Amino acid sequence: MSSNQSTDVDPYHAYPDEPSVDKFVRRAYHASLVLGDFVYIDGGEIAMLIDDEPVNMLNNDTLTIDLKNSWDTSSAPFGYITKQNVPDLNGGFLFPAPDNKTIFQFGGETNWLFNAWLAPETAIYQFTLTGEGNGTWSKFNAGPNSGFNDLTRPVRALAASVDDTFFIFGGFINSHSSRSTMDMGYDTVPLDGIVAFNMTSGVWTNTSMPSHLIRPHGKNGMLSPVPNFGLAGLLVTAGTGTVDKQPPTFENITIYEPQRQTWHYQTSTGDIPAGRDAPCVVGVQGDNGTYEIFMYGGRVNQNDGELLGNQVQQNIDLDEVYVLSLPAFAWFRADYAAQNSRFFHTCQVVGSRQMMSIGGLNPLDANADKVSQDTAVHGLRIFDLTEMRWSDSYDANAAPYMTPQAVKDWYQQNGTSSVQWNDPMVREFFARSLPAETGPSANTTTTSPNPATSHTSSSHTGAIAGGVIGGLAGICVLAAFIFWFLRRRKQKKASSRPYQHKAEMADTYNVQEFPEESRKFEADNGQQAWEADGMQRMELDATTRRGR
């Protein structure tokens, strides 16, 4: 909205353009995605100044940001795409089709700005690209036999794609999530299932997940795809559930292997992040066979009200960026002074090596309904993933991503064989792409000849080679004689002994099979595989009050 436009604005509907820098206040609850040369931002709320007062309103258009050219945050090239007959939802998510020509939208709840509401039907919507940053929205026909009609719309679920399948972990339902739940009032019911949408077959399935992944209010924890490890990619999650009504730290990593639908566990080390609600994460392929997961922001507020005790400093500290490097399973923290954290924001990798943080609420506010000015212009922050530092500029010509130096130093000093694996299958997942073994724990080393002595060694090469060959020939002759003697002796003994059944000779061959506990692992005790139970409705339990 330009500064010369009328201030007579419907406060519940955003203007069809990004507000000017002097009018923008904040953005939150949206979904975002990078596809091609554009960032797409959909749903959520935006606050802007109207008659010098901050007013919350719907983000009822799909915004785009062009990534083809460099820019700073004050001049970010926003565009917008109008939406018709497509709901504006909070806490949903966007995901791309395998052909990168379609964006799907699913999940979320209708806005709480209205006193009265009508939740939209449970449906999935698609955005079909028609040009550079342009396209059209429409309702997607899931099909009567796809399994979609057995599902409900989740709010604030953790979601990620692996190969051609989109996975949705948990979330919750409430009075704003679907028409069938409109009588729930202010209650929320957590969902304990994993919804998977195979975009090749068009089939939706719903299976159970471990109880520690259930997130009562759909706030805490993180989920990231790891495409280059395992059979065909993995899903890595941490920080879910609650410990003494607080989100747990990110020490314990849960790994889901989608091909076999098995759960695995690994303890992380290093500078482990504190528990938090609503951080954002991005993942990047490293330059030495590693994979880095970057996490930023979040909030700690046990009562959803005034911050207590040391919670003010705890929330300020959540402005720090952490990176989990795989297969080291080691956490690292970016070295800068934390100042302005945020939660209910989104993050995307843009260009070659930068992360864009989009929007978010101020965790120092007493509650989410308080409207405070975002310290970031247009709510945009840019983080260099290699140099681990913030800036106000997007660089379309940045050099390719390289693993941060602090992470490389760890591999150099420790090596991957220093990792204490909790689950042999996790070790197997990462064995195919382990980076070069370095550090004091390496199993093998490579030495170079000493330049001061290399010339004297070459003068004796012929004599040394002749001695080695002669010695090997003598050993071979002696070994052949011993083999002939022992075999002849064995044959004489065998001729005077009765025939043994093959089964009785099994121990002689020392044949061993892998024990069952080393093949599959259960979510709770790591011994027996969790088996998927096929398609079924999400199971509900533990009704709780809504905490926005």
Side-chain angles (χ1 to χ4, degrees):
M1 175 176 174
S2 60
S3 57
N4 61 356
Q5 285 177 314
S6 170
T7 58
D8 185 16
V9 178
D10 178 358
Y12 297 115
H13 294 83
Y15 244 74
D17 203 348
E18 177 70 3
S20 59
V21 173
D22 60 327
K23 296 294 184 182
F24 177 88
V25 177
R26 74 175 189 189
R27 179 193 318 281
Y29 307 119
H30 56 278
S32 65
L33 176 72
V34 171
L35 192 61
D37 295 323
F38 290 86
V39 179
Y40 295 87
I41 305 170
D42 187 70
E45 300 174 10
I46 186 170
M48 59 186 297
L49 293 178
I50 298 178
D51 294 332
D52 296 326
E53 292 293 330
V55 178
N56 262 330
M57 56 191 71
L58 300 181
N59 180 25
N60 58 355
D61 292 312
T62 300
L63 298 178
T64 64
I65 304 177
D66 195 331
L67 300 175
K68 291 191 294 295
N69 300 303
S70 301
W71 41 261
D72 61 42
T73 53
S74 62
S75 60
F78 281 95
Y80 68 94
I81 300 166
T82 58
K83 297 167 59 177
Q84 295 182 347
N85 301 319
V86 177
D88 305 309
L89 301 173
N90 288 0
F93 30 81
L94 304 174
F95 56 100
D99 62 3
N100 288 326
K101 297 179 181 179
T102 302
I103 298 174
F104 292 107
Q105 189 278 336
F106 184 57
E109 61 181 341
T110 53
N111 200 283
W112 287 75
L113 295 174
F114 299 97
N115 292 324
W117 65 90
L118 176 63
E121 63 175 320
T122 301
I124 182 172
Y125 297 89
Q126 63 180 5
F127 176 76
T128 304
L129 275 67
T130 59
E132 289 286 294
N134 294 311
T136 58
W137 280 101
S138 62
K139 181 179 176 182
F140 176 73
N141 182 12
N145 300 319
S146 65
F148 181 80
N149 293 332
D150 296 327
L151 306 176
T152 187
R153 179 189 286 114
V155 182
R156 296 181 193 164
L158 297 175
S161 294
V162 173
D163 198 17
D164 64 344
T165 303
F166 186 71
F167 294 90
I168 305 167
F169 281 37
F172 62 84
I173 59 174
N174 61 13
S175 59
H176 283 54
S177 60
S178 69
R179 295 179 182 177
S180 62
T181 59
M182 290 181 61
D183 59 350
M184 290 181 60
Y186 289 94
D187 293 334
T188 65
V189 177
L191 303 172
D192 64 356
I194 297 178
V195 172
F197 174 39
N198 186 290
M199 290 174 278
T200 301
S201 66
V203 173
W204 296 74
T205 57
N206 184 12
T207 54
S208 299
M209 67 182 184
S211 59
H212 73 273
L213 296 182
I214 298 175
R215 301 153 58 245
H217 298 292
K219 295 180 181 179
N220 60 313
M222 65 92 171
L223 175 69
S224 175
V226 182
N228 56 323
F229 291 115
L231 297 176
L234 302 168
L235 289 167
V236 170
T237 182
T240 59
T242 57
V243 176
D244 296 330
K245 297 183 179 180
Q246 289 288 344
T249 70
F250 288 77
E251 178 182 10
N252 298 316
I253 309 297
T254 300
I255 302 164
Y256 181 61
E257 200 290 294
Q259 296 292 312
R260 298 173 180 171
Q261 297 183 346
T262 54
W263 296 95
H264 309 269
Y265 304 91
Q266 178 63 36
T267 302
S268 63
T269 59
D271 203 339
I272 298 172
R276 64 197 65 199
D277 293 338
C280 72
V281 294
V282 299
V284 191
Q285 173 74 50
D287 59 336
N288 193 28
T290 63
Y291 193 83
E292 275 79 60
I293 300 172
F294 291 81
M295 181 176 70
Y296 167 59
R299 180 187 72 158
V300 177
N301 191 330
Q302 182 174 352
N303 301 312
D304 279 329
E306 295 293 336
L307 298 177
L308 305 176
N310 63 348
Q311 285 188 337
V312 171
Q313 187 59 48
Q314 286 179 342
N315 280 281
I316 293 174
D317 291 342
L318 296 183
D319 181 49
E320 298 163 333
V321 172
Y322 287 83
V323 54
L324 175 67
S325 182
L326 307 175
F329 282 92
W331 284 99
F332 305 85
R333 179 172 55 88
D335 185 14
Y336 62 85
Q339 294 180 343
N340 302 299
S341 187
R342 57 196 59 233
F343 70 108
F344 287 141
H345 56 307
T346 61
C347 291
Q348 298 293 333
V349 175
V350 292
S352 300
R353 56 187 279 174
Q354 292 179 306
M355 175 182 75
M356 179 190 294
S357 170
I358 307 169
L361 304 179
N362 187 344
L364 300 184
D365 290 344
N367 57 67
D369 293 323
K370 179 180 178 180
V371 181
S372 61
Q373 178 68 51
D374 196 330
T375 57
V377 178
H378 284 301
L380 302 179
R381 301 189 73 190
I382 307 296
F383 186 77
D384 189 302
L385 298 171
T386 295
E387 298 182 2
M388 302 270 276
R389 64 177 179 84
W390 290 101
S391 74
D392 296 324
S393 300
Y394 161 69
D395 185 358
N397 302 309
Y401 169 77
M402 297 184 66
T403 299
Q405 189 60 48
V407 179
K408 288 186 175 182
D409 290 344
W410 187 95
Y411 285 103
Q412 180 68 32
Q413 296 168 10
N414 299 282
T416 52
S417 60
S418 67
V419 178
Q420 301 296 313
W421 300 101
N422 300 116
D423 181 334
M425 284 302 296
V426 176
R427 171 69 173 81
E428 184 65 23
F429 290 153
F430 292 92
R432 300 178 183 178
S433 301
L434 291 180
E437 189 63 68
T438 58
S441 60
N443 294 325
T444 60
T445 59
T446 302
T447 59
S448 301
N450 188 333
T453 59
S454 60
H455 68 282
T456 59
S457 299
S458 62
S459 64
H460 300 289
T461 302
I464 294 173
V468 171
I469 294 173
L472 290 175
I475 293 173
C476 291
V477 171
L478 179 61
F481 175 79
I482 294 174
F483 176 79
W484 173 83
F485 176 81
L486 293 176
R487 183 174 181 181
R488 181 176 178 83
R489 183 179 181 184
K490 183 177 180 180
Q491 288 174 345
K492 288 182 178 180
K493 289 184 177 181
S495 63
S496 61
R497 188 171 57 195
Y499 171 76
Q500 286 185 305
H501 192 271
K502 184 177 181 179
E504 297 174 348
M505 299 177 65
D507 290 341
T508 303
Y509 294 99
N510 195 28
V511 177
Q512 296 182 355
E513 294 184 1
F514 288 106
E516 286 296 321
E517 61 268 21
S518 69
R519 298 179 186 175
K520 300 179 179 179
F521 301 88
E522 187 181 18
D524 295 328
N525 58 24
Q527 292 183 350
Q528 180 61 37
W530 173 84
E531 300 292 342
D533 59 357
M535 292 171 54
Q536 59 181 18
R537 295 183 64 85
M538 291 181 174
E539 300 176 8
L540 310 177
D541 59 11
T543 301
T544 57
R545 295 290 295 174
R546 179 184 190 274
R548 189 176 178 186

